[in-house]
Amino acid sequence: MNYQDFSKKELVDEVRKVTRELEEARDLLQAIRKGEIDAVVVSRVHGEQIYVLDDANITYRKMIEEMNEGALSFNQAGSVLYCNKAFAGLIGYDVDQVISKPVIDFIDSGFHEFFRQILVQKFPGPVKKSIKLLDKTGKHIPVMISLNNILIAEMDVFLMTITDEREKLYIKKLALHQLALEKLTSKLRAAKDKAEKAVNELKEKNIDYTILNEEYIHINKILAKTNKELMLSKQKAERSDMLKSAFIANMSHEIRTPLNSILGYTKMLLDSIDDEEQRKHIDVVIHSGQHLLHLIDDIVDLSILESGEMKIVETQVDLNDLMCKFKNQFHAYAINRGKQHLDFRLQLPGNGNDGPVIYADEFRLQQVLNNLLSNALKFTEKGFIAFGYKIINSGKDLMFFIRDTGPGILEADRMIIFNRFEQGRRPSGSVVSGTGLGLAIAKGLTDLLGGKIWLESEVGEGSTFYFTIPLKMVKTPDVTKQVKEKRLKTGIPRLAGKKILLSEDDLFSREMMIYILKKTGAELIIAIDGRETLDKFKENNVDLVLLDLRLPEIDGYEVLKEIRSARPETIVIAQTAYAMLDDIRKFKEVGFDDYLLKPVGDSELFTVLHKYLG
Amino acid sequence: MEQQNGDIKKELHGDKKYLLRLYITGSAPRSLIAVNNITQICKNHLVDYELQIIDVYQKPNLAKEDQIIAIPTLVKVLPLPERRIIGDLSDVEKVLYSVELL
């Protein structure tokens, strides 16, 4: 370039232009160095490439993370890749409990097929659908989902937003109530008009209309009353869900009390009868009664699980001990059911001697194992039932397994088998007995304990049920407790010389307890209300008190307090017909040594007596 | 290369005095702030103006034509001479100086 060709003005302009461009280039570099930018655009052969700075995506992330609408992505295998807080919150989990899990774990089984279709077949394009989610407690949540499918880094990814429709459905319901209300109002208004017209007509005809006037006032009153009733019924509907739990608790109490008497007296009857035929009949009565009792327990458990009110109480558990107990118990059950040829195999890791002592909710853990083992025993006619546990995920989780050589589970049934009231069919097609609650409870409980439950099955070969719980090792096991638990004896305890105070207001229950307790040879002191219990407690130096909780005069909890302040070393066992297990867990907290659940059977009572007086 | 979006017209719609073009990347944080700032500045200081917000994710070709290197960049297209400012435009004085209002 030859500057002599430029005029002075042109030169000045040129210098200005270059200076400005230099300034801009300097600004650009400074901005980049200071990180004042979001992205850099680079020209490449295939077009413009945008390089985004690390934190440039934070707004998107925040938006999706914090928006008040569920967002979820999953891969072609159906595993959750990402979910936001709103979604996790909707189903009662933490975000990290959802990610990596199968998406259908959080969706009501009725819509599993829809998801399978979408995953397996070609995606038809963006789709909206009303479905139901399954929250942590197993409750259904109606939602609207919107699904799309995109490629991210050559990976097929499904994007889903989830809108809570409970509010909408509720408003819909309210609108229906409103509509009904309006309809009724207009009907009554028409009636009112008609009446007024009639009154006027009569007036014209000079007839005394006081009576009709009264009628008119009466109609108005009905109108007001109906309006009020409609409002009340709406409120009632809202309360009914809350009342459900209370109702079930109450019902179970009401059913258990008479069952208590039926079972107890039948057992007494059994002892006094020698005729084989009659004994068989009575056995049937006892068996049916016990079945009914199990059913009540199951329904109560499920209702507590559903209401999300079941709490976890963790204590130290010697795992191998627990498993051995189960082996003996189920071996005995098998013999009882004429399946003595079944081989029960307990498979423990290592040499099976020094099992881990863990923190776990022993009661709930036992319940899950019990339900799964009962299930295996029910279906297995020959071969073996093998069960045990393994430590997996490098010590993070415990995995229990229950393997049987039963008929196996049809593939179509494997998904529904954990649903409430649903049962699989036997591959032979015959109907299965039972309530269909056991596995639903097992699933609800494993969810509650923070684990998973699943099964593998081969028709004709057998089934294996697995469930996991988080492994929490105890560093310094409490030895005394275990030793105590280990020395459980059965059979009639010999308690001559011991004094037992029995406190029970219900005549039938009392008679039954006396009948059982007499076998032990202990000295019995009887009280029929709270006041008498305290009086007799003060008069006699008793070793053990069997205390009913619902006592007249002074209730069981008050009696306990007085006993504890007078002679704290006395053993006090609660006995109650409350079947709400949650209540029962409280007994130990308030200071009972143990509890017995009505109807109290010989073996339960003897076990407790062995434990504390033996 | 195919130019779906066509050439950017360096002309104003109607008889407006200013044509400003802000390049952003979606709702990235500084882009978001820049949009907020430029709309405020335009509202408070300019009368006859046209403001174009261009998301380079949606229209990458435009960035090439305007030789955009960093985002966000504000280009004062008209009146000439063309000026550009990089960053989130929070320095109002600097923006106004570049747009030659001060």
Side-chain angles (χ1 to χ4, degrees):
Chain A
M1 188 179 284
N2 191 347
Y3 291 107
Q4 282 162 354
D5 293 345
F6 285 106
S7 71
K8 194 179 168 192
K9 188 184 172 293
E10 278 172 333
L11 260 177
V12 170
D13 280 351
E14 189 60 24
V15 169
R16 270 197 191 139
K17 197 182 143 210
V18 173
T19 312
R20 207 187 64 232
E21 277 174 4
L22 275 172
E23 272 172 14
E24 279 183 1
R26 188 199 59 203
D27 284 353
L28 172 67
L29 280 173
Q30 267 181 2
I32 293 175
R33 288 184 75 174
K34 283 190 196 158
E36 287 169 350
I37 58 162
D38 288 326
V40 175
V41 185
V42 178
S43 279
R44 309 190 80 181
V45 194
H46 305 295
E48 307 302 298
Q49 184 88 32
I50 300 156
Y51 290 93
V52 178
L53 261 66
D54 256 1
D55 64 343
N57 285 329
I58 194 161
T59 3
Y60 293 109
R61 237 175 41 222
K62 280 260 176 259
M63 237 189 226
I64 293 170
E65 266 165 18
E66 303 295 336
M67 73 180 181
N68 187 25
E69 186 85 347
L72 181 93
S73 65
F74 53 93
N75 62 14
Q76 193 116 48
S79 305
V80 176
L81 301 172
Y82 170 81
C83 92
N84 69 353
K85 280 192 219 162
F87 178 77
L90 191 61
I91 52 171
Y93 289 94
D94 290 334
V95 167
D96 51 9
Q97 289 176 304
V98 178
I99 291 173
S100 84
K101 303 272 162 43
V103 65
I104 54 169
D105 276 10
F106 312 106
I107 287 161
D108 176 51
S109 61
F111 301 95
H112 286 181
E113 190 50 37
F114 168 73
F115 277 86
R116 258 195 298 272
Q117 293 278 341
I118 275 181
L119 290 169
V120 174
Q121 292 173 1
K122 201 173 175 294
F123 188 65
V127 56
K128 279 192 178 187
K129 193 172 168 67
S130 278
I131 67 162
K132 285 196 179 93
L133 298 180
L134 211 55
D135 80 355
K136 198 172 181 177
T137 61
K139 232 186 277 173
H140 291 138
I141 302 171
V143 293
M144 169 69 83
I145 58 162
S146 182
L147 255 173
N148 202 1
N149 177 248
I150 55 162
L151 275 177
I152 298 178
E154 297 190 5
M155 186 169 65
D156 230 343
V157 177
F158 292 87
L159 307 177
M160 182 162 103
T161 56
I162 299 99
T163 311
D164 187 353
E165 288 211 309
R166 281 176 298 189
E167 187 88 348
K168 199 174 132 194
L169 292 175
Y170 178 70
I171 289 168
K172 222 172 168 181
K173 217 162 99 186
L174 280 188
L176 282 176
H177 275 292
Q178 193 70 35
L179 205 71
L181 209 73
E182 275 166 15
K183 262 189 189 163
L184 203 80
T185 313
S186 73
K187 245 186 202 169
L188 287 169
R189 196 166 286 140
K192 188 183 116 183
D193 288 347
K194 217 171 165 185
E196 264 175 357
K197 208 176 142 200
V199 169
N200 283 336
E201 272 171 16
L202 287 169
K203 226 189 215 169
E204 278 168 17
K205 289 176 190 166
N206 253 339
I207 296 173
D208 181 18
Y209 59 89
T210 39
I211 297 166
L212 282 160
N213 200 28
E214 268 168 25
E215 194 68 18
Y216 164 64
I217 291 166
H218 184 63
I219 289 174
N220 264 346
K221 268 186 193 159
I222 291 174
L223 179 83
K225 201 178 150 209
T226 319
N227 272 351
K228 207 174 153 196
E229 271 171 8
L230 268 170
M231 292 308 278
L232 279 174
S233 78
K234 195 191 82 192
Q235 285 165 4
K236 259 187 201 161
E238 287 161 13
R239 274 187 61 213
S240 70
D241 208 48
M242 264 171 17
L243 289 174
K244 198 183 78 179
S245 286
F247 170 75
I248 287 175
N250 204 28
M251 272 304 287
S252 70
H253 172 77
E254 296 299 327
I255 297 170
R256 268 176 166 275
T257 310
L259 248 187
N260 186 14
S261 308
I262 294 170
L263 276 172
Y265 276 88
T266 316
K267 278 180 188 162
M268 278 158 68
L269 199 61
L270 192 66
D271 285 351
S272 62
I273 286 175
D274 292 326
D275 184 273
E276 224 14 73
E277 192 67 18
Q278 285 180 345
R279 285 181 71 93
K280 260 187 204 163
H281 294 165
I282 290 170
D283 269 337
V284 172
V285 175
I286 292 174
H287 187 77
S288 307
Q290 278 163 345
H291 182 76
L292 197 55
L293 213 55
H294 279 303
L295 177 63
I296 295 164
D297 286 345
D298 281 356
I299 291 172
V300 169
D301 271 345
L302 206 64
S303 87
I304 306 175
L305 271 169
E306 275 194 344
S307 66
E309 277 157 18
M310 195 174 273
K311 288 168 199 77
I312 301 176
V313 181
E314 291 191 337
T315 53
Q316 296 192 7
V317 182
D318 185 319
L319 209 49
N320 285 3
D321 238 36
L322 182 74
M323 300 304 278
C324 288
K325 208 170 97 189
F326 266 104
K327 189 188 173 211
N328 296 336
Q329 189 186 336
F330 270 85
H331 191 64
Y333 285 171
I335 292 167
N336 255 339
R337 295 189 194 180
K339 294 184 177 180
Q340 53 273 11
H341 52 277
L342 266 187
D343 183 8
F344 269 90
R345 297 179 193 166
L346 179 56
Q347 295 171 348
L348 300 175
N351 56 13
N353 283 337
D354 295 313
V357 178
I358 60 167
Y359 283 115
D361 190 320
E362 187 173 7
F363 190 83
R364 299 298 172 202
L365 179 60
Q366 282 189 31
Q367 233 179 329
V368 180
L369 279 167
N370 194 57
N371 285 3
L372 294 178
L373 279 167
S374 300
N375 200 54
L377 181 60
K378 184 159 108 188
F379 287 100
T380 311
E381 300 298 335
K382 56 179 192 289
F384 64 86
I385 293 172
F387 70 106
Y389 66 89
K390 281 177 191 158
I391 294 173
I392 57 164
N393 287 345
S394 44
K396 276 195 208 120
D397 292 302
L398 267 174
M399 182 181 79
F400 293 85
F401 59 89
I402 294 93
R403 182 172 304 127
D404 65 52
T405 52
I409 297 158
L410 294 170
E411 192 161 358
D413 288 338
R414 285 175 207 164
M415 295 305 285
I416 63 152
I417 207 166
F418 292 111
N419 292 358
R420 285 175 306 160
F421 301 109
E422 293 212 61
Q423 291 183 311
R425 291 150 293 169
R426 287 176 200 272
S428 61
S430 64
V431 180
V432 174
S433 64
T435 56
L437 289 176
L439 291 178
I441 291 171
K443 177 166 184 355
L445 287 174
T446 34
D447 285 350
L448 184 75
L449 296 173
K452 276 179 74 170
I453 188 165
W454 70 97
L455 70 94
E456 285 165 9
S457 184
E458 190 81 45
V459 172
E461 301 283 320
S463 311
T464 310
F465 283 80
Y466 298 92
F467 72 95
T468 61
I469 60 166
L471 173 58
K472 295 174 210 162
M473 288 290 264
V474 176
K475 290 206 177 89
T476 46
D478 176 3
V479 181
T480 49
K481 189 203 158 217
Q482 290 165 49
V483 172
K484 212 171 167 187
E485 302 272 356
K486 263 180 196 166
R487 289 190 191 141
L488 286 183
K489 281 187 238 157
T490 46
I492 300 173
R494 301 281 157 229
L495 301 176
K498 300 279 184 191
K499 272 189 188 174
I500 296 174
L501 172 56
L502 172 67
S503 154
E504 171 65 74
D505 64 317
D506 180 61
L507 171 71
F508 298 114
S509 303
R510 196 166 59 234
E511 290 295 319
M512 208 183 69
M513 291 291 276
I514 294 171
Y515 179 81
I516 300 172
L517 285 167
K518 269 186 180 165
K519 296 181 185 174
T520 67
E523 186 185 334
L524 288 184
I525 298 148
I526 314 295
I528 60 166
D529 62 39
R531 166 84 40 223
E532 196 181 354
T533 308
L534 280 177
D535 289 345
K536 294 213 167 157
F537 177 77
K538 280 167 194 157
E539 287 162 21
N540 298 280
N541 195 14
V542 297
D543 298 288
L544 186 141
V545 184
L546 287 164
L547 187 58
D548 191 19
L549 285 184
R550 279 195 180 178
L551 282 174
E553 299 279 327
I554 308 170
D555 82 1
Y557 293 103
E558 282 301 310
V559 172
L560 173 75
K561 262 189 215 161
E562 299 261 336
I563 290 176
R564 283 280 173 257
S565 65
R567 291 203 295 273
E569 73 287 353
T570 315
I571 292 150
V572 186
I573 312 288
Q575 47 159 338
T576 178
Y578 274 126
M580 293 298 270
L581 287 163
D582 214 43
D583 279 354
I584 286 159
R585 312 301 296 279
K586 266 190 267 171
F587 294 167
K588 285 195 181 181
E589 283 168 34
V590 299
F592 283 104
D593 290 286
D594 219 323
Y595 62 86
L596 285 166
L597 205 57
K598 288 181 183 177
V600 180
D602 315 27
S603 59
E604 291 96 338
L605 183 57
F606 290 160
T607 305
V608 165
L609 292 177
H610 267 303
K611 189 167 161 187
Y612 294 98
L613 296 181
Chain B
M1 165 167 292
E2 201 186 7
Q3 292 254 322
Q4 266 189 347
N5 301 306
D7 298 325
I8 329 170
K9 292 198 178 75
K10 304 222 169 174
E11 284 157 29
L12 276 164
H13 298 228
D15 51 3
K16 299 209 170 60
K17 193 177 168 197
Y18 292 96
L19 172 57
L20 302 176
R21 196 172 284 149
L22 176 64
Y23 284 90
I24 58 163
T25 42
S27 70
R30 280 163 290 262
S31 298
L32 217 61
I33 297 168
V35 172
N36 181 49
N37 283 334
I38 196 62
T39 48
Q40 291 289 330
I41 291 168
C42 286
K43 212 171 115 192
N44 295 338
H45 300 276
L46 302 182
V47 186
D48 286 338
Y49 69 93
E50 182 181 337
L51 174 64
Q52 302 175 339
I53 308 277
I54 291 162
D55 184 352
V56 294
Y57 282 137
Q58 313 293 334
K59 299 174 177 176
N61 292 336
L62 293 190
K64 189 184 181 186
E65 269 188 47
D66 258 340
Q67 294 188 310
I68 299 300
I69 294 169
I71 308 278
T73 293
L74 176 72
V75 184
K76 185 199 75 174
V77 186
L78 287 172
L80 292 167
E82 198 179 280
R83 287 282 165 87
R84 35 190 79 203
I85 314 166
I86 323 290
D88 64 14
L89 311 179
S90 45
D91 187 345
V92 179
E93 303 255 311
K94 192 179 160 191
V95 177
L96 290 175
Y97 175 78
S98 301
V99 183
E100 291 166 330
L101 279 170
L102 276 181

